[in-house]
Amino acid sequence: MTRGPRSLGVVIKLGTSSIVDEKSHEPLLSILTSIVETAVRLRKDGHKVIIVSSGAIGVGLRRMDVDKRPKHMAQLQALAAIGQCRLMSLWDSLFAHLRQPIAQILITRNDIADRSRYLNAQNTIHELLDMGVIPIVNENDTLAVSEIKFGDNDTLSAITAAMVHADLLFLMTDVDCLYDKNPRTNPDAQPIEIVEDIGQLVADVSQAGSSLGTGGMSTKIVAARLATSAGVTTVITRSSIPGNIVKIVKHIQASRSPASLATQANAAEEQHADEPTTTLNPQVSTTATTTKDPTTKIPLHTRFLPSPHPVRDRYFWILHGLRPHGTLYIDAGAYKALLGKAGLLPVGVVDVEGVFAQQEAVRLCVVQRRRPPHSPQEDDGKQLWDGEPEEVGRALVNYASFEIARIKGRQSAEIKSLIGYADSEYIAQRESISFYRRESRPVTPSREVMVVEVEGQDGEEKGEGKEGEGQGGAAL
């Protein structure tokens, strides 16, 4: 018996500029209607759909006849409160025409930082999807302040996709895909269609977002790094043609090996299937290839392939759900032991920075321990290591910062005599330590690596898995 294509979890992220006109602040009803039709079509095809929607502040601006996005936090929160109910009313009205139930989920970083609330959010979304409901997720801008904001909904969409173990994340923008150069000023600019290693990416990402939003293409690169590290295939494509999502999903489903296929089949008439492709580097495919059906046109898009060793569940939560409160500098020997699944002992800690309490998250940075000085004058008493630190992961610590400052570099047997008690021989248990994958670490793109962004750039409002670098995964 022939089985149909596998059901996929699909997250669609829409920025403010995709929902609200930048000048008039009127909702873009044609795009919203098309998004609704696309989401319902995906549901009928058996997929589970989540929408991450910006636009509350933009809609609030229109309701209150405010011309420009204010800068004062209280004003932004008030506009978000006004706009959010109107935005959800609009979504509900449009989906009601197709008899599709929806649900609203508002999240702040505090909801993610608390482990029980993180799991509750995860369970609620899964239950909604099982009920055939389309959740519409947004950051709770009404209550969020800078300390607990995700910063942009690209990041929120990536965390949401990772939280529910989605298969696909669509980051909708006002360009078709990434290019290696600005195509408006460089006729030889090549579309970047398949990205296997974001660390090798050379793309156009410098243009700022729209006046309504807070993001741009650089935030999408960061979101793609984050999502792909969790095993989520991430796609950048044009928001003005939401129907392209259905075509891209079908193309990925029909592909025996999605990782090996480029997307611009529109050029099939100009290129034969047996011609070699041209790439900027071995990890980025930029040239169109044909499909078996030359009449089928696959919409142009950039697809970021997921990590073969995704970081999921508790390990993902430690890396990306928590805000670090300090830094532990460890030596190479301790790092090697951690990769071998040992816990972090005091003897491997070189230095500590910041003020934090027990069970708070800290950065882990590998440094070269400074050799003992030949004389007291050679020791400045400040820095205990040489060279530049390399951040490799995050950890939940068993001791506060002032306690670690006392026991660093010492044997575990000395902990009680140094601080008066010894809850654990480890500064951090191995199951409370998570490492980045080098090729998918979600940090801000380097200006030296990235070139410039396309004009007309989009602006936004912002089970058991295997750990990278030989780390083991832990079930929820």
Side-chain angles (χ1 to χ4, degrees), residues 343-381:
L344 178 59
L345 296 169
V347 70
V349 178
V350 178
D351 204 357
V352 57
E353 182 178 89
V355 178
F356 50 86
Q358 294 179 1
Q359 296 306 309
E360 289 191 327
V362 298
R363 303 176 189 87
L364 289 182
C365 293
V366 178
V367 296
Q368 180 180 353
R369 189 186 292 270
R370 178 175 291 182
R371 294 180 180 178
H374 295 292
S375 64
Q377 290 74 20
E378 294 182 37
D379 187 0
D380 56 19

Side-chain angles (χ1 to χ4, degrees), residues 6-290:
R6 183 174 70 90
S7 172
L8 302 177
V10 181
V11 178
I12 302 172
K13 187 269 172 180
L14 299 167
T16 301
S17 62
S18 301
I19 294 174
V20 179
D21 184 88
E22 183 176 355
K23 294 182 179 179
S24 69
H25 304 158
E26 294 281 358
L28 300 174
L29 291 178
S30 60
I31 294 181
L32 290 173
T33 301
S34 185
I35 284 288
V36 168
E37 293 174 344
T38 297
V40 172
R41 174 67 181 275
L42 290 170
R43 282 277 303 117
K44 290 181 178 179
D45 289 342
H47 306 302
K48 296 182 178 181
V49 181
I50 298 172
I51 294 176
V52 177
S53 170
S54 302
I57 293 176
V59 173
L61 290 171
R62 176 68 183 92
R63 178 67 180 87
M64 301 306 295
D65 293 322
V66 178
D67 293 331
K68 295 182 179 179
R69 179 188 175 101
K71 296 182 179 179
H72 195 273
M73 177 61 74
Q75 291 176 319
L76 288 172
Q77 290 176 326
L79 287 171
I82 295 166
Q84 186 63 39
C85 61
R86 293 181 66 87
L87 179 61
M88 284 306 300
S89 176
L90 181 58
W91 279 122
D92 191 50
S93 175
L94 293 173
F95 274 106
H97 288 293
L98 299 178
R99 304 184 68 181
Q100 172 61 53
I102 64 171
Q104 179 185 35
I105 298 178
L106 297 177
I107 298 177
T108 64
R109 185 170 283 279
N110 271 2
D111 298 316
I112 301 299
D114 183 89
R115 182 62 177 164
S116 62
R117 290 159 73 180
Y118 178 91
L119 293 175
N120 285 339
Q122 184 183 59
N123 294 335
T124 298
I125 294 175
H126 279 305
E127 187 64 27
L128 288 169
L129 294 173
D130 290 341
M131 294 170 63
V133 175
I134 294 179
I136 297 183
V137 181
N138 193 4
E139 183 165 11
N140 193 351
D141 293 315
T142 301
L143 299 178
V145 294
S146 58
E147 288 79 11
I148 61 172
K149 286 179 71 67
F150 291 96
D152 60 85
N153 274 359
D154 292 318
T155 300
L156 174 59
S157 67
I159 290 177
T160 301
M163 181 192 301
V164 300
H165 299 173
D167 298 282
L168 291 166
L169 168 62
F170 284 87
L171 301 174
M172 309 302 286
T173 179
D174 55 9
V175 293
D176 291 306
C177 63
L178 290 177
Y179 289 85
D180 62 331
K181 303 174 185 176
N182 191 328
R184 300 181 183 228
T185 57
N186 297 275
D188 60 339
Q190 293 291 317
I192 300 175
E193 301 176 338
I194 300 291
V195 178
E196 296 181 28
D197 183 358
I198 298 182
Q200 300 294 324
L201 180 64
V202 178
D204 178 4
V205 293
S206 68
Q207 194 77 7
S210 73
S211 60
L212 289 180
T214 59
M217 192 63 76
S218 62
T219 64
K220 289 176 176 53
I221 303 296
V222 174
R225 287 175 181 265
L226 197 158
T228 54
S229 73
V232 182
T233 299
T234 305
V235 176
I236 291 176
T237 191
R238 186 177 290 275
S239 62
S240 60
I241 315 175
N244 286 347
I245 295 175
V246 175
K247 296 179 181 178
I248 294 170
V249 170
K250 287 185 175 181
H251 171 63
I252 293 175
Q253 279 189 307
S255 305
R256 288 187 178 181
S257 177
S260 66
L261 298 178
T263 60
Q264 194 185 6
N266 300 352
E269 298 85 1
E270 302 177 9
Q271 180 178 354
H272 297 290
D274 56 352
E275 289 181 358
T277 59
T278 304
T279 60
L280 294 175
N281 58 64
Q283 303 299 325
V284 180
S285 173
T286 62
T287 308
T289 61
T290 59

